[in-house]
Amino acid sequence: SHLLHTVRELCTSAVLLEHGHLTYAGGVDATLEAYQHSFATFAERQADPANRPGVGLVRFADVSVAHENLRSGDDVVVDYSIGTDDDLPGEYYVSAHITDEGGATIVQCDSRLVGYWLNPKKPHDGRLAIRNLWLKPGRYSVDMFVCTSTGVQDMWEAAGRFDVRPELPYSHSV
C-alpha cells in the first residue's frame, strides 16, 4: 500500500518493493524510513533529464518551488523552464500534480483547462500559482509533466518539495 498511515495503524511488519524486487523487510517504522530514503534518492536522480520517462523531445530544464515552508491556505508557487525542439509536431501543455508523503495525488493542474498550449520552437519560462490550497500539515512533492495530445514528453516526479507547517491560518480557534 502507498497509504502510509494505514500501514502504520494496521501492520506490525512491512516490505519495500522497488520495480517488483524486494529491497527491505522489517518493522513498519524502519521500512517506512527506508521508503522515505528511497524516495529522496529517486528525486535526486530525476534532476537529470536522461533519467526521466517520456519521449523527450521537449523537457523541463528547471523546476523550483518558490517557498518550501508554508501554512495551510498559503499559495503554492512553482516556477519552471522548458527547452525547445524543432521536431515536435504541434503544441504541448504543462501539467502539475501535488502528491502527499504516501504518493497520493492531492491536486492536479493542467494548462489545457484554461486553453494554454505552448509552442515547442520557443523556450518557455512559467509560473504556476495554486491559490488558497488548504493542505494538512506534512511534506508534499510536485510532479511536473510536459505532454502532447499523443503522449508524455517529460515526466519529472518530485521536481520540487514543500512542507506545510502545523499552524492554522486564522487567528482564533473555536
Side-chain angles (χ1 to χ4, degrees):
S1 173
H2 287 275
L3 302 174
L4 303 186
H5 177 73
T6 303
V7 171
R8 275 195 182 99
E9 293 296 318
L10 299 177
C11 302
T12 57
S13 63
V15 297
L16 177 60
L17 301 174
E18 289 187 44
H19 305 290
H21 295 89
L22 178 66
T23 58
Y24 189 89
V28 171
D29 289 336
T31 304
L32 294 180
E33 186 177 318
Y35 171 71
Q36 293 295 343
H37 178 69
S38 72
F39 185 79
T41 302
F42 173 78
E44 289 173 18
R45 285 193 313 263
Q46 291 286 293
D48 180 354
N51 294 331
R52 297 195 303 253
V55 176
L57 293 177
V58 176
R59 289 201 180 267
F60 289 101
D62 186 49
V63 173
S64 63
V65 176
H67 305 286
E68 294 182 1
N69 289 292
L70 304 169
R71 292 184 329 166
S72 189
D74 286 351
D75 295 347
V76 176
V77 178
V78 180
D79 294 302
Y80 60 89
S81 297
I82 301 172
T84 63
D85 186 84
D86 290 331
D87 295 327
L88 183 66
E91 296 178 313
Y92 65 90
Y93 64 94
V94 176
S95 184
H97 298 183
I98 294 178
T99 59
D100 66 10
E101 287 180 290
T105 300
I106 304 299
V107 175
Q108 179 178 344
C109 301
D110 191 318
S111 68
R112 290 179 298 177
L113 295 174
V114 293
Y116 190 62
W117 290 78
L118 298 125
N119 181 345
K121 293 171 183 29
K122 298 178 182 177
H124 181 74
D125 294 324
R127 171 170 271 191
L128 168 68
I130 305 170
R131 307 226 184 268
N132 301 315
L133 190 58
W134 284 73
L135 295 172
K136 291 173 32 177
R139 174 159 271 201
Y140 295 86
S141 64
V142 180
D143 302 337
M144 297 293 292
F145 301 83
V146 173
C147 304
T148 62
S149 58
T150 58
V152 176
Q153 293 294 316
D154 191 12
M155 181 170 78
W156 189 348
E157 295 178 279
R161 296 188 90 175
F162 64 93
D163 292 302
V164 174
R165 297 186 309 253
E167 299 173 15
L168 298 176
Y170 37 83
S171 57
H172 297 78
S173 61
V174 179

Short mmCIF file of all heavy atoms in Angstrom, two decimals, residues 11 13 44 52 104 117 153 162:
data_model
loop_
_atom_site.label_atom_id
_atom_site.label_comp_id
_atom_site.label_asym_id
_atom_site.label_seq_id
_atom_site.Cartn_x
_atom_site.Cartn_y
_atom_site.Cartn_z
N CYS A 11 -0.36 -2.63 10.54
CA CYS A 11 0.68 -3.63 10.33
C CYS A 11 1.71 -3.65 11.45
O CYS A 11 1.95 -2.65 12.11
CB CYS A 11 1.41 -3.36 9.00
SG CYS A 11 0.30 -3.35 7.58
N SER A 13 4.70 -5.46 10.57
CA SER A 13 5.90 -5.56 9.74
C SER A 13 5.53 -5.13 8.34
O SER A 13 4.35 -5.06 7.98
CB SER A 13 6.46 -6.99 9.74
OG SER A 13 5.53 -7.89 9.17
N GLU A 44 16.53 12.82 -6.42
CA GLU A 44 17.84 13.31 -6.88
C GLU A 44 18.15 12.83 -8.29
O GLU A 44 18.66 13.58 -9.12
CB GLU A 44 18.94 12.88 -5.92
CG GLU A 44 18.89 13.57 -4.58
CD GLU A 44 19.88 13.00 -3.58
OE1 GLU A 44 20.83 12.29 -4.00
OE2 GLU A 44 19.71 13.24 -2.38
N ARG A 52 14.59 10.53 -16.65
CA ARG A 52 13.14 10.71 -16.55
C ARG A 52 12.42 10.04 -17.72
O ARG A 52 12.91 10.03 -18.83
CB ARG A 52 12.80 12.20 -16.52
CG ARG A 52 13.38 12.90 -15.31
CD ARG A 52 12.77 14.26 -15.08
NE ARG A 52 12.87 15.19 -16.16
CZ ARG A 52 13.70 16.25 -16.19
NH1 ARG A 52 14.50 16.48 -15.18
NH2 ARG A 52 13.69 17.07 -17.21
N ALA A 104 -0.06 9.76 -2.89
CA ALA A 104 -1.40 10.03 -3.42
C ALA A 104 -1.44 11.42 -4.04
O ALA A 104 -0.96 12.39 -3.45
CB ALA A 104 -2.44 9.92 -2.31
N TRP A 117 -1.73 26.34 -24.48
CA TRP A 117 -0.83 25.42 -25.17
C TRP A 117 0.44 26.17 -25.52
O TRP A 117 0.42 27.38 -25.75
CB TRP A 117 -1.50 24.89 -26.44
CG TRP A 117 -2.64 23.95 -26.15
CD1 TRP A 117 -3.91 24.29 -25.76
CD2 TRP A 117 -2.61 22.53 -26.19
NE1 TRP A 117 -4.66 23.17 -25.57
CE2 TRP A 117 -3.89 22.07 -25.85
CE3 TRP A 117 -1.62 21.60 -26.51
CZ2 TRP A 117 -4.21 20.72 -25.79
CZ3 TRP A 117 -1.95 20.26 -26.47
CH2 TRP A 117 -3.23 19.82 -26.11
N GLN A 153 5.94 13.86 -22.96
CA GLN A 153 7.28 14.23 -23.41
C GLN A 153 8.28 14.17 -22.25
O GLN A 153 9.41 13.74 -22.42
CB GLN A 153 7.28 15.63 -24.02
CG GLN A 153 6.52 15.73 -25.32
CD GLN A 153 7.17 14.93 -26.41
OE1 GLN A 153 8.39 14.96 -26.59
NE2 GLN A 153 6.37 14.18 -27.15
N PHE A 162 7.78 20.69 -0.73
CA PHE A 162 7.49 21.72 0.26
C PHE A 162 6.83 21.09 1.47
O PHE A 162 6.28 19.98 1.39
CB PHE A 162 6.62 22.85 -0.34
CG PHE A 162 5.25 22.42 -0.78
CD1 PHE A 162 4.16 22.52 0.07
CD2 PHE A 162 5.05 21.92 -2.06
CE1 PHE A 162 2.90 22.14 -0.33
CE2 PHE A 162 3.79 21.53 -2.48
CZ PHE A 162 2.71 21.64 -1.62
#
